[in-house]
Amino acid sequence: MAMVNRWEMEQFVWRVLPLLTFLISFLVFFYLHDSYRAQLHPLVKLTQNKCSLLHHRHFWIASKRIVTPQGIISGSVEIKEGKIISVTEGYGKWGNSKHEEVIDYGDAVVMPGLIDVHVHLDEPGRTAWEGFDTGTRAAAAGGVTTIVDMPLNNHPTTVSKETLKLKLEAAENRIYVDVGFWGGLIPENALNKSILEGLLSAGVLGLKSFMCPSGISDFPMTTIHHIKEGLSVLAKYRRPLYVHSEIQQHSKKHLELNDKGGPRTYLTYLHSRPPSWEEAAIKELVGVTKDTRTGGPLEGAHVHVAHLSDSSASLDLIKEAKSRGDSISVETCPHYLAFSSEEIPNGDTRFKCSPPIRDAYNREKLWKAVLEGHIDLLSSDHSPTVPQMKLLEEGDFLKAWGGISSLQFDLPVTWSYGKKHGLTLEHLSLLWSKKPATFAGIESKGSIAVGNHADIVVWKPEVEFELNEHYPVFLKHPSLSAYMGRRLSGKVLETFVRGNLVFKKGKHAPAACGIPILAK
């Protein structure tokens, strides 16, 4: 009898076991499902994903003004795990989303994040000037989602794979937006191709050189001979050379003009760096770029003229080179489009930069070139320093450090002054997003398109604000910016980097989760 009962019990267990297994699995599923649902609560999620002020990884952004490559649409952008997976036309249409997963911005503009390819963050070595933490916070607050850092004014300068490694180490866990890096072309590595190839193989997006003294002792100027050597290596890697295009030219006329005003007079500084300096440098450059044409010995190399100030002879040389098929491009900066020499107060060294800000007539010609497409893109040339080096009290334009602090204000400054000249939202996005992405070789950024990184700025073009002590500015030394005290249009509301909401209403995400961008 005991044997029968045992046999019957075993049969019962084997019959019930599958049911028990199913029930246990069912309970485990609901336990995990409830845990997952709990993780979606904003406060809980933020403790686990400190990269973002938003708790969703799959969500929709809706707006009546979304700037896309096909034009401005009213609709929504679907974002999942940091990428754009759909763009839907038709306001109020957002697929199978739940209501809480849609962020409706109404009339606010949704645009690709800005890409600033000319930024000096000065770290390592001169963090007191700026730094990865403060600089990328300022970028995020201004809707700039990607920057490319210059190889100077940090110390040591980025001129080898070893010094690039120092940059990467300094940036680790300290960048709120994505950051690429330019390497430096100097006489030492121009004449030693193994150093140059090591730097390019390590991932810099291209090289930067100066055709005049840079002001930094370990970043000496290059001659056209050094530039040719650098281009021969760059042709192999198909990356650009970024050139500060001024060559010192001295004439009796300019020396006489300098003698007429003291160092506090802005015209003294303006006359010390005339347009002929830019023209002389660009004339030498276009003598070389002919070899970058299809079939030429430097095919694959590209020359990019930094921060063009002269809108006359220098620009004409570039336009002519382009018409011949040379691989050459040019940028200008917001300060050349916003200011004119006539309005710069004597002694106000916040406005000192090189090349210098020229007169109002030159500024109008620059705007014309921008709108007609002769100037390819815009960049800030954000070049900060410490207050002592700006010599604000002395007001000595000849001795003060040159550079405009402006990274956070790229968008509102360009829009404020550009809309008076007919600048459209589409053109603004082209100049600050699509063209910089193409130039720097960052294929996954620059436009709101399926497959791209969800790098997005949300802003209100009509909203005006005063740049004063009450406005949250994240630059290291806000008082040094020439834009302080200005009334601007175009307030940035929120900034997304790869789907992470990194900036909202004056606050940043708890953690800096930007990534370094390295060329392959």
Side-chain angles (χ1 to χ4, degrees):
M1 187 68 178
M3 291 294 293
V4 172
N5 288 342
R6 183 179 177 183
W7 180 82
E8 289 177 346
M9 182 62 69
E10 288 176 351
Q11 291 297 309
F12 175 78
V13 169
W14 281 108
R15 290 192 187 106
V16 172
L17 187 60
L19 180 61
L20 287 173
T21 304
F22 174 78
L23 287 172
I24 291 168
S25 301
F26 191 76
L27 290 170
V28 168
F29 170 80
F30 270 97
Y31 172 78
L32 294 176
H33 184 68
D34 287 343
S35 298
Y36 175 71
R37 286 172 63 86
Q39 289 173 15
L40 288 182
H41 188 279
L43 294 178
V44 177
K45 186 63 176 178
L46 277 176
T47 63
Q48 298 184 356
N49 181 16
K50 294 183 178 180
C51 300
S52 180
L53 294 167
L54 180 70
H55 59 278
H56 294 296
R57 293 300 295 162
H58 184 194
F59 59 97
W60 281 254
I61 288 176
S63 170
K64 296 176 182 176
R65 291 188 287 180
I66 301 174
V67 182
T68 75
Q70 292 73 40
I72 298 175
I73 68 168
S74 175
S76 62
V77 180
E78 184 180 3
I79 297 166
K80 186 175 183 180
E81 298 301 327
K83 289 191 174 182
I84 297 169
I85 64 171
S86 73
V87 180
T88 303
E89 197 162 358
Y91 187 67
K93 297 179 181 179
W94 34 72
N96 298 320
S97 68
K98 296 179 182 178
H99 180 70
E100 66 270 16
E101 295 171 352
V102 177
I103 310 172
D104 189 351
Y105 289 109
D107 290 327
V109 170
V110 170
M111 198 172 81
L114 279 67
I115 299 174
D116 194 335
V117 295
H118 195 155
V119 178
H120 296 267
L121 291 186
D122 308 331
E123 192 172 3
R126 292 192 175 95
T127 312
W129 291 25
E130 183 65 275
F132 285 113
D133 180 78
T134 54
T136 58
R137 281 179 184 267
V144 179
T145 53
T146 302
I147 64 173
V148 188
D149 187 37
M150 282 291 163
L152 72 165
N153 306 316
N154 48 283
H155 182 75
T157 52
T158 311
V159 293
S160 66
K161 64 181 181 182
E162 291 80 13
T163 48
L164 175 63
K165 183 181 178 183
L166 295 177
K167 271 275 189 188
L168 292 169
E169 290 172 352
E172 190 172 356
N173 299 322
R174 293 174 59 80
I175 52 177
Y176 285 82
V177 302
D178 292 350
V179 179
F181 305 89
W182 299 116
L185 178 70
I186 59 173
E188 181 183 356
N189 60 19
L191 301 176
N192 187 329
K193 291 187 177 180
S194 64
I195 297 176
L196 210 54
E197 293 208 3
L199 179 59
L200 289 161
S201 297
V204 295
L205 302 184
L207 301 176
K208 167 72 181 290
S209 73
F210 271 70
M211 296 180 77
C212 62
S214 70
I216 298 295
S217 59
D218 60 341
F219 203 91
M221 61 176 280
T222 52
T223 65
I224 198 66
H225 170 66
H226 300 128
I227 286 172
K228 287 179 182 177
E229 293 295 324
L231 287 172
S232 68
V233 178
L234 286 164
K236 173 184 174 182
Y237 289 82
R238 307 190 77 82
R239 295 179 205 165
L241 176 65
Y242 216 124
V243 187
H244 182 122
S245 306
E246 287 183 289
I247 293 179
Q248 290 177 317
Q249 304 282 295
H250 295 292
S251 72
K252 184 177 180 181
K253 176 183 177 183
H254 293 130
L255 291 174
E256 288 174 353
L257 286 169
N258 291 343
D259 290 339
K260 290 182 180 179
R264 286 181 54 85
T265 304
Y266 180 72
L267 286 180
T268 297
Y269 175 64
L270 178 61
H271 292 147
S272 75
R273 297 182 90 107
S276 60
W277 284 32
E278 290 186 82
E279 182 184 358
I282 292 169
K283 189 173 290 185
E284 288 197 0
L285 287 174
V286 299
V288 173
T289 57
K290 65 181 186 298
D291 291 335
T292 64
R293 299 173 203 166
T294 303
L298 294 177
E299 182 183 356
H302 179 83
V303 171
H304 182 77
V305 175
H307 44 50
L308 183 77
S309 174
D310 173 34
S311 61
S312 296
S314 300
L315 182 59
D316 289 341
L317 286 168
I318 296 168
K319 288 162 65 175
E320 184 180 347
K322 285 182 178 181
S323 69
R324 296 194 305 257
D326 297 10
S327 188
I328 185 171
S329 55
V330 60
E331 70 184 40
T332 193
C333 306
H335 44 272
Y336 299 123
L337 299 169
F339 306 133
S340 67
S341 59
E342 294 92 334
E343 66 185 82
I344 297 176
N346 289 335
D348 196 344
T349 53
R350 295 179 304 159
F351 291 88
K352 180 180 177 180
C353 59
S354 59
I357 295 164
R358 306 196 190 279
D359 60 31
Y361 175 73
N362 182 80
R363 177 182 61 189
E364 296 309 303
K365 286 187 67 180
L366 278 177
W367 267 117
K368 187 173 186 289
V370 166
L371 295 173
E372 291 179 351
H374 299 302
I375 291 176
D376 299 277
L377 56 95
L378 300 180
S379 74
S380 67
D381 188 15
H382 174 65
S383 185
T385 186
V386 289
Q388 305 91 287
M389 294 186 68
K390 268 296 185 182
L391 304 179
L392 294 177
E393 291 186 9
E394 298 94 321
D396 189 327
F397 277 103
L398 298 180
K399 294 180 179 178
W401 181 263
I404 305 288
S405 295
S406 57
L407 179 56
Q408 186 174 334
F409 316 131
D410 289 347
L411 177 54
V413 167
T414 307
W415 178 250
S416 298
Y417 293 91
K419 64 181 181 178
K420 302 171 186 176
H421 292 80
L423 183 70
T424 64
L425 294 174
E426 296 99 318
H427 204 169
L428 178 72
S429 180
L430 190 68
L431 291 164
W432 272 113
S433 301
K434 181 59 180 175
K435 286 194 171 183
T438 301
F439 163 63
I442 310 172
E443 298 176 356
S444 58
K445 299 180 183 289
S447 61
I448 294 179
V450 173
N452 275 5
H453 289 164
D455 294 351
I456 290 170
V457 56
V458 183
W459 62 293
K460 290 191 173 182
E462 297 80 14
V463 173
E464 296 186 351
F465 58 94
E466 298 281 349
L467 261 184
N468 55 31
E469 65 274 12
H470 303 298
Y471 191 86
V473 177
F474 297 94
L475 302 173
K476 186 90 170 183
H477 304 289
S479 63
L480 298 188
S481 176
Y483 295 108
M484 295 307 293
R486 299 271 164 165
R487 185 171 182 81
L488 301 175
S489 298
K491 189 171 184 179
V492 173
L493 302 180
E494 299 183 10
T495 304
F496 294 83
V497 178
R498 285 175 289 103
N500 290 322
L501 181 57
V502 298
F503 178 81
K504 178 179 181 178
K505 295 181 179 178
K507 295 183 179 181
H508 291 79
C513 298
I515 62 171
I517 302 169
L518 298 174
K520 296 179 181 179

